[in-house]
Amino acid sequence: MKQLKLFSLLAGLFALLPLLGQVETEVVVTDEPMTPEEYYANRYYGMNQNYVDFTTDQKKFNDWTIGLYGGINMIQGSDFNTLVRNQDPLFSYDFHATITKQLTHAFGLALQGSWGRTEQQMHARGPYRAHTEYYSYALLGDLNMSMLFRRVDNKSRFAWALHTYAGLGLMGYTAYRKPYDADPSQFQAVGSGGGGFGSLYATGGTGLRYKLSQRLDMEAKAMYIWTGDDQFDGSGEFGELSDIRKRSEDGFFTFSLGLLYKPGRHFEHLSWADPLADIYPGPSPDELSRMLVVCQSGDQDDDGVCDDWDRELNTPPGARVDGAGRALDTDLDGIIDLYDECVTLPGPASNNGCPEDTSAEELLTLAIANLEFSLDSDVISPGYYPLLDNAARYLKHYSHMTFDVVGHTDTRASDAYNMDLSRRRASNVKQYLVEKHGIPASQLNVVAKGFHELRFPECRPATSCPEWKNHANRRVVFVQK
């Protein structure tokens, strides 16, 4: 019986050799005109005569995997078992290594070598204790179930995969047995299998794999090994211990954890390359790395902006630049911030980019040129806050000077009333500058002018002018002392 099993395995392996030896090809369609019949036969029915060898250089993915696993095993359903009711379990070890060739996105062939030892016991007749030392090698099919059932609209990261395994192999083993309480030196060999090549066995199981990186995976795997022999568990070929379970051929489970290395020069492994991505063609990671060449022409002025899109190739060292590589000039006075001593205030180059003292009153008045008030009101409208914020920057620059904050009104109401209103307007402007910007109160002096210095003198009385001119008369200005 064992010889027949061995013959069947070898015959199956020889039958696979022509398939494994086939040369993979890539179809190359020529531009020569074809009839419709020739086109369909050439494209869809495998009759293409224009092809080239499919070489490693044309591959997009790595397709080899090397795995190392370690774990525990247990025999169940045999004459001797690892788990027996009311007894302590007798787990032992299993180690195996695999070399897998990925043939498609979802299927690969693995060559596996295993070595381990089982521990088992029997109390129905005895009691007895046994262990079996084994080695095996097998050819397995590896089916990636997650790849088969992955949806086209699944945009999540592809990092978990469920694999199923099935295959045939050869196993050699030696089983030992002793009375349960006897000294370990009393173990005696009571069965062996395999001879030179090992006995035929079948195996199958499943594994959950996680992608740690482009080069390394981790997998938790559970397998069942059907040995095809009744002596594997140590019950012996004959005698009262060998027939506790009638017509029972021994088998055992393995539970292991392993690391898998994916060698190769490509970015991705074929088992993790989602074929649905090819429905929407795009550049591969290798192609992207060649396309996205950063700073191909260098950075001549070392400003952090590549010369390919730098609009100012001679930026001085240390200058801050914008996204186009041009040196910043915050106040737009023609002097870059690197050399500008007053970055936020425009000024001539002769004064290192700072405003000149002779222009102080003019610049302050210009800064708040439109600071006006509503009729019979001393409240500063929030829309004028940016004007006063700009005036505060000038006041800080001219901190060695003092200024009058002069309030004005239109010609409505009495002189006394308008003098008080203009004073309140000037006071509110001073208060804003002092409290918000920390301008020294001694630098500003409140002055009330009422309606005595109108911007538009023709507006006396107020009814003789359009309202916009009256509105312009209700203002605050700065005068240098």
Side-chain angles (χ1 to χ4, degrees):
M1 183 63 181
K2 293 181 179 178
Q3 289 78 4
L4 179 60
K5 294 179 181 177
L6 178 59
F7 175 78
S8 301
L9 176 62
L10 294 176
L13 291 176
F14 280 118
L16 286 174
L17 289 178
L19 178 61
L20 296 175
Q22 287 184 354
V23 178
E24 296 177 338
T25 60
E26 178 185 22
V27 172
V28 179
V29 179
T30 66
D31 295 329
E32 297 178 3
M34 298 181 184
T35 65
E37 293 79 7
E38 290 175 333
Y39 174 80
Y40 282 98
N42 190 59
R43 182 174 179 85
Y44 298 108
Y45 296 101
M47 300 180 183
N48 195 318
Q49 300 301 314
N50 306 308
Y51 65 86
V52 295
D53 289 343
F54 183 73
T55 65
T56 303
D57 293 335
Q58 294 169 306
K59 290 182 178 180
K60 293 183 179 180
F61 308 108
N62 302 318
D63 52 11
W64 287 96
T65 305
I66 301 172
L68 294 175
Y69 296 81
I72 63 173
N73 55 33
M74 67 177 193
I75 295 181
Q76 288 302 122
S78 300
D79 298 319
F80 283 60
N81 296 290
T82 299
L83 299 178
V84 175
R85 183 179 297 179
N86 299 324
Q87 302 296 325
D88 294 334
L90 301 174
F91 295 112
S92 193
Y93 57 84
D94 175 87
F95 299 99
H96 62 269
T98 61
I99 299 178
T100 304
K101 167 67 173 178
Q102 198 71 29
L103 301 180
T104 71
H105 294 82
F107 183 74
L109 283 177
L111 183 63
Q112 175 177 293
S114 303
W115 169 74
R117 167 174 167 153
T118 64
E119 296 277 355
Q120 53 271 7
Q121 54 191 320
M122 190 273 294
H123 291 264
R125 301 174 186 174
Y128 289 93
R129 182 165 177 172
H131 68 262
T132 305
E133 298 173 356
Y134 63 88
Y135 64 90
S136 65
Y137 37 93
L139 184 65
L140 303 178
D142 176 356
L143 184 61
N144 188 339
M145 302 297 292
S146 297
M147 186 68 76
L148 287 180
F149 296 106
R150 186 169 174 83
R151 290 170 55 104
V152 69
D153 58 349
N154 189 343
K155 305 300 182 183
S156 64
R157 177 174 177 255
F158 191 14
W160 292 93
L162 180 67
H163 288 246
T164 58
Y165 304 94
L168 297 173
L170 298 173
M171 175 182 290
Y173 67 87
T174 302
Y176 300 87
R177 187 180 69 210
K178 73 175 182 67
Y180 194 87
D181 295 325
D183 188 85
S185 62
Q186 300 300 313
F187 272 115
Q188 294 183 358
V190 293
S192 62
F197 289 97
S199 61
L200 182 65
Y201 77 96
T203 183
T206 186
L208 183 61
R209 191 174 299 185
Y210 179 71
K211 182 179 180 181
L212 296 174
S213 69
Q214 301 304 126
R215 294 296 178 194
L216 202 62
D217 293 346
M218 181 173 65
E219 183 175 23
K221 185 160 63 171
M223 301 288 290
Y224 182 76
I225 292 86
W226 180 72
T227 66
D229 288 339
D230 193 28
Q231 306 177 54
F232 182 87
D233 62 350
S235 60
E237 187 173 3
F238 304 104
E240 63 176 3
L241 301 181
S242 64
D243 60 353
I244 296 176
R245 292 181 180 269
K246 302 296 185 182
R247 296 184 299 277
S248 174
E249 294 182 317
D250 300 332
F252 63 96
F253 294 93
T254 64
F255 304 94
S256 54
L257 189 66
L259 290 176
L260 300 95
Y261 175 67
K262 300 168 289 188
R265 61 186 180 88
H266 300 289
F267 178 79
E268 188 60 276
H269 191 272
L270 185 56
S271 65
W272 290 108
D274 188 350
L276 297 179
D278 292 336
I279 297 176
Y280 309 101
S284 67
D286 289 337
E287 292 169 337
L288 278 176
S289 65
R290 291 191 293 269
M291 293 166 55
L292 302 177
V293 179
V294 180
C295 280
Q296 188 171 9
S297 302
D299 182 10
Q300 177 180 326
D301 52 10
D302 197 28
D303 61 356
V305 179
C306 298
D307 291 350
D308 298 335
W309 50 82
D310 194 337
R311 299 182 62 181
E312 186 177 271
L313 295 175
N314 59 344
T315 304
R320 297 184 303 161
V321 298
D322 60 16
R326 294 170 297 195
L328 291 179
D329 180 12
T330 303
D331 55 13
L332 301 177
D333 60 359
I335 303 171
I336 65 173
D337 293 352
L338 180 66
Y339 304 133
D340 197 333
E341 294 184 4
C342 299
V343 174
T344 60
L345 299 175
S350 59
N351 200 34
N352 298 320
C354 291
E356 295 180 330
D357 290 353
T358 56
S359 306
E361 182 177 319
E362 177 186 355
L363 291 173
L364 274 170
T365 300
L366 182 63
I368 60 168
N370 296 317
L371 178 55
E372 300 168 357
F373 291 83
S374 299
L375 179 63
D376 195 25
S377 173
D378 60 4
V379 177
I380 304 172
S381 174
Y384 294 126
Y385 290 166
L387 299 180
L388 290 173
D389 296 340
N390 189 35
R393 286 192 285 269
Y394 282 101
L395 289 170
K396 290 178 180 179
H397 176 70
Y398 294 123
S399 59
H400 56 290
M401 298 180 180
T402 57
F403 298 88
D404 288 338
V405 184
V406 184
H408 297 269
T409 67
D410 62 16
T411 58
R412 295 183 177 94
S414 66
D415 181 40
Y417 182 86
N418 281 318
M419 288 296 289
D420 179 66
L421 178 59
S422 61
R423 182 177 293 103
R424 284 187 279 121
R425 286 173 176 171
S427 295
N428 286 344
V429 170
K430 176 181 178 179
Q431 181 181 1
Y432 179 90
L433 294 170
V434 171
E435 292 182 358
K436 182 174 181 180
H437 293 283
I439 304 300
S442 59
Q443 190 179 359
L444 302 175
N445 181 44
V446 173
V447 175
K449 289 291 185 178
F451 52 62
H452 295 288
E453 294 183 7
L454 298 176
R455 179 179 289 177
F456 294 103
E458 64 270 22
C459 295
R460 190 187 301 270
T463 55
S464 64
C465 288
E467 184 55 31
W468 68 267
K469 287 187 177 182
N470 287 314
H471 197 282
N473 283 331
R474 302 191 292 267
R475 69 199 189 280
V476 168
V477 298
F478 287 93
V479 177
Q480 182 180 353
K481 295 184 68 174

